[in-house]
Amino acid sequence: MYRSLIKPLLFRLDAEDAHHLTIAGLELASRVPAWPALARRVTAPATPALAQTLWGRTFSSPVGLAAGLDKNGVAVPAFSALGFGFLEVGTVTPLPQAGNDRPRLFRLPPDGALINRMGFNNAGTADLHAHLHALRERTAPVWVNIGKNKLTPNEAATDDYLKCVTALQDVADAFVVNVSSPNTPGLRALQAADELAALVRAVVDGVEAGRVRTLSTPPVLVKLAPDLHPADFEASVDAVVNAGASGLIISNTTLDRSGLTHPHQTQAGGLSGRPLTTRSTELIRAAYRQTAGRTPIVGVGGIFTAQDAYDKIRAGASLTEVYSALVYEGPGLVRRLHTGLTALLERDGLRSVSEAVGVDA
């Protein structure tokens, strides 16, 4: 029904208007007490073979929701009901900010891609905390993607990340340090090894300092860009691991426009979707080899099919995330990924998804 009815209607709207309409509908559905539980009964729950334990938490599925769709955590129950194994909300900044001027979100249907230059538009940590604190239950872990406000200079960026940690540690199942969005001026400069190591170390120490106050120690992951020079990527991975991060997310959006056909290819911003499929998988494999598989990796970028997700898992990703494919394929995507991943594991004689991690690295 999504492809034949809902998608054509949404695609007649401006991309951001369609996004806000969708989130508003999911927020409303999240408030209906019986709906999320009812929806979970028909969304093909993940099979036991897809479950695994990481950082002391159980993930029923390796398929998660990437940051950017639910920036303010208003539709967590609805997204959970679709069958995701975990959800990443945000990016959130300490203070609310409007983001960049519109238009700032563009569809490229022939390329299976999106371009966005949103600019960390969000309602701030206080608003996100209120939404996550009000959740009656969590059927999937909720990760919080954190960033700095646009007006905060890079030399003070650490303070913004620590403000996010302090404000949200009691409601976050993990923190994702976002230093790789191309839409906040100067942000990607924080990926340089020395700056990144200092930032990550400060965030890890901040989480540890808040352990007694919140009775929680959420893992800290770092999201890297796909546009780094190979030597810089290697240095950044080393910096993240040596600074004590618990995991890597590979990768964020790209500035590369190779092979695009849609006229929107000239729009500024980060590109996501099918053009990233191969590149992100290659980077996952490189990071897995570099870390000898000791640091869990979350693979994101161009996952439209179960084979796409499986390729990333076999390259070294323990978990995966989707974003653009959900826009193009609709809510049934999660069910299809679960069914396909289970079949691929059975085909290869593997008893669990964890056995597939890194076998092609």
Side-chain angles (χ1 to χ4, degrees):
M1 185 174 69
Y2 177 82
R3 293 178 180 176
S4 61
L5 179 61
I6 298 176
K7 179 181 173 182
L9 293 175
L10 288 176
F11 273 48
R12 291 181 182 177
L13 301 174
D14 167 80
E16 187 170 350
D17 288 340
H19 171 84
H20 290 314
L21 179 62
T22 300
I23 294 298
L26 291 171
E27 180 181 5
L28 181 62
S30 295
R31 294 177 179 176
V32 178
W35 183 84
L38 178 63
R40 281 194 294 272
R41 296 178 183 177
V42 297
T43 53
T47 61
L50 297 182
Q52 58 188 316
T53 300
L54 296 164
W55 310 295
R57 296 296 304 267
T58 298
F59 294 82
S60 62
S61 161
V63 181
L65 177 71
L69 275 171
D70 191 2
K71 290 178 177 290
N72 299 310
V74 299
V76 168
F79 278 118
S80 298
L82 297 181
F84 284 109
F86 62 104
L87 312 170
E88 188 178 338
V89 298
T91 298
V92 64
T93 54
L95 299 176
Q97 61 182 26
N100 297 321
D101 294 336
R102 296 184 63 171
R104 53 191 181 180
L105 179 63
F106 307 90
R107 307 184 192 95
L108 294 76
D111 305 303
L114 301 171
I115 290 176
N116 92 83
R117 52 173 181 264
M118 305 300 287
F120 286 176
N121 58 309
N122 74 102
T125 55
D127 184 85
L128 179 58
H129 186 279
H131 287 128
L132 297 185
H133 184 70
L135 293 175
R136 296 185 182 90
E137 64 172 341
R138 296 191 186 191
T139 58
V142 180
W143 297 1
V144 177
N145 185 299
I146 58 177
K148 77 174 187 72
N149 281 110
K150 183 177 181 178
L151 296 180
T152 302
N154 275 11
E155 55 267 27
T158 298
D159 293 338
D160 271 14
Y161 287 91
L162 291 177
K163 288 175 183 177
C164 291
V165 168
T166 299
L168 296 164
Q169 184 165 342
D170 65 319
V171 294
D173 292 311
F175 284 114
V176 177
V177 177
N178 189 347
V179 291
S180 52
S181 170
N183 302 316
T184 296
L187 185 72
R188 285 191 168 188
L190 296 175
Q191 290 182 112
D194 291 343
E195 288 83 354
L196 185 57
L199 172 60
V200 174
R201 192 175 298 112
V203 172
V204 171
D205 290 345
V207 169
E208 180 60 27
R211 178 173 59 85
V212 175
R213 176 178 57 87
T214 63
L215 301 179
S216 67
T217 313
V220 174
L221 294 86
V222 179
K223 191 168 189 176
L224 296 177
D227 302 325
L228 291 167
H229 183 277
D232 293 332
F233 179 80
E234 183 176 339
S236 293
V237 169
D238 277 343
V240 167
V241 173
N242 293 335
S246 299
L248 293 158
I249 298 185
I250 302 172
S251 64
N252 211 323
T253 57
T254 182
L255 295 175
D256 184 29
R257 299 293 190 264
S258 302
L260 298 181
T261 61
H262 194 276
H264 283 331
Q265 65 179 286
T266 60
Q267 292 291 340
L271 175 75
S272 62
R274 287 194 186 279
L276 265 175
T277 304
T278 301
R279 175 61 175 159
S280 62
T281 302
E282 291 172 347
L283 290 173
I284 290 164
R285 182 175 291 109
Y288 185 87
R289 290 173 176 172
Q290 182 178 338
T291 61
R294 290 190 292 267
T295 300
I297 296 170
V298 181
V300 56
I303 295 175
F304 279 71
T305 68
Q307 187 65 57
D308 294 334
Y310 195 50
D311 289 344
K312 284 178 168 47
I313 291 168
R314 291 179 65 95
S318 295
L319 300 171
T320 62
E321 291 181 337
V322 297
Y323 181 124
S324 300
L326 200 61
V327 173
Y328 285 103
E329 301 294 322
L333 172 70
V334 183
R335 178 185 184 125
R336 292 192 293 275
L337 292 178
H338 287 168
T339 301
L341 282 171
T342 301
L344 289 167
L345 290 172
E346 292 177 350
R347 181 201 67 186
D348 293 344
L350 301 175
R351 295 168 298 176
S352 69
V353 68
S354 59
E355 292 183 0
V357 176
V359 297
D360 288 340

